[in-house]
Amino acid sequence: MAAHLPLMVWLSPSFPVGAFAYSHGLEWAFESGDLHDAATLQDWLEALVSHGSLRNDLILFACAARAVETGDDAALVEIAELALALANSAERRLETVTQGNAFVTALRAAWPCAAIDRLKAAWAGDVAYPLAVATASAGHGLPLAASLEAYGLAFVANLVSASVRLGIVGQTDGQKVTAALVPAVQVAAAGAAPATLGDLGGCTLRSDIASLRHETQYSRLFRS
C-alpha cells in the first residue's frame, strides 16, 4: 500500500476526529491581539513546529512507532502516560484525547490492525492523538519519515483553517502560510525520527498561556 494513501485519509478533515473544533489557543491569541495577519500567524505556527507542542508530538509519534515495531508494550504505556502529562492545560488535554480516542474508534472500525488492539489491551486510559496515529501508522507498516511529515503538515493545516475561520487571514494568505511552513515541518520531522523521550521539551510560553486563558474566554468558536 502506498504510504501516502492511508495518511491522506486519516489526516484529512473528513476523518471523524473533530479536529475542526480546536484552535490550540489561537482564538485567545487573536482576541488578545497577538495574531492579526499572515506574518504573525506564520511566526506563531513556526514556533510550535520548531520549539513547541508539534515538536513534542512528533517525538512522541516517533517513539510510539518504534515501540509498536519492536513489540514493546511497556514503552507504549510509558508514552501514553507521558503524552497526557505533557498536556499543560485542561483544553490541551481535551484536544489531544478527544481526537486520539475518536481516531482509535474510527480506525478499529474501518482500518483495523493488530497494533491498535494491542495498544488498547496494554493501555486502558485515554489515548493522545499522536500516539493513536503513530500506532496506526506503524501497525500498517507505513514509513516513519512520511508519517511524521504528514502528521506535522496536517497539524499546521488545521490551525491555518482555524485562523481563516477566525478572520486572522483569508484563504489565499492561509495557503501561503501553509506552504511557507513546509520546510520547517520537514526539518522537525527529520529531527524527531531518531529522537528519544529524553529530547522532549519546549519554549513556546505564549502559546501555553493562550491555552490556559482560552478556558475562560467569554465568547468562543472553538473548544481550545
Side-chain angles (χ1 to χ4, degrees):
M1 182 184 296
H4 66 282
L5 295 180
L7 291 169
M8 287 175 65
V9 175
W10 300 343
L11 297 170
S12 77
S14 65
F15 204 70
V17 299
F20 63 88
Y22 303 97
S23 80
H24 207 70
L26 292 186
E27 188 168 20
W28 182 85
F30 173 57
E31 179 75 15
S32 67
D34 286 348
L35 299 178
H36 50 82
D37 59 13
T40 53
L41 175 63
Q42 183 174 325
D43 286 347
W44 186 280
L45 295 182
E46 188 166 7
L48 293 179
V49 172
S50 302
H51 311 293
S53 55
L54 179 60
R55 177 182 180 274
N56 281 340
D57 276 2
L58 292 175
I59 292 173
L60 292 167
F61 191 119
C63 292
R66 288 195 296 269
V68 170
E69 291 168 357
T70 58
D72 192 343
D73 290 347
L76 269 183
V77 169
E78 180 184 5
I79 295 164
E81 293 176 339
L82 186 55
L84 298 183
L86 287 173
N88 53 11
S89 69
E91 288 192 352
R92 286 276 173 90
R93 183 184 176 100
L94 174 71
E95 184 174 328
T96 194
V97 302
T98 303
Q99 292 182 83
N101 291 337
F103 185 92
V104 169
T105 298
L107 197 93
R108 294 179 85 179
W111 299 77
C113 66
I116 284 288
D117 293 334
R118 284 183 54 203
L119 171 63
K120 292 302 293 179
W123 174 252
D126 289 323
V127 179
Y129 190 42
L131 173 61
V133 183
T135 301
S137 174
H140 281 275
L142 306 184
L144 179 60
S147 300
L148 288 168
E149 289 186 355
Y151 183 91
L153 190 57
F155 174 94
V156 168
N158 186 62
L159 294 191
V160 168
S161 175
S163 300
V164 171
R165 282 173 281 157
L166 286 167
I168 300 170
V169 292
Q171 291 183 338
T172 299
D173 277 344
Q175 288 303 309
K176 290 179 180 178
V177 169
T178 302
L181 290 173
V182 168
V185 169
Q186 292 173 321
V187 169
T196 69
L197 297 179
D199 295 306
L200 289 164
C203 56
T204 52
L205 297 180
R206 192 69 177 171
S207 175
D208 295 340
I209 291 170
S211 74
L212 294 166
R213 293 287 181 84
H214 186 266
E215 295 175 7
T216 57
Q217 188 169 327
Y218 176 71
S219 178
R220 301 189 299 177
L221 292 175
F222 296 93
R223 300 183 72 187
S224 74

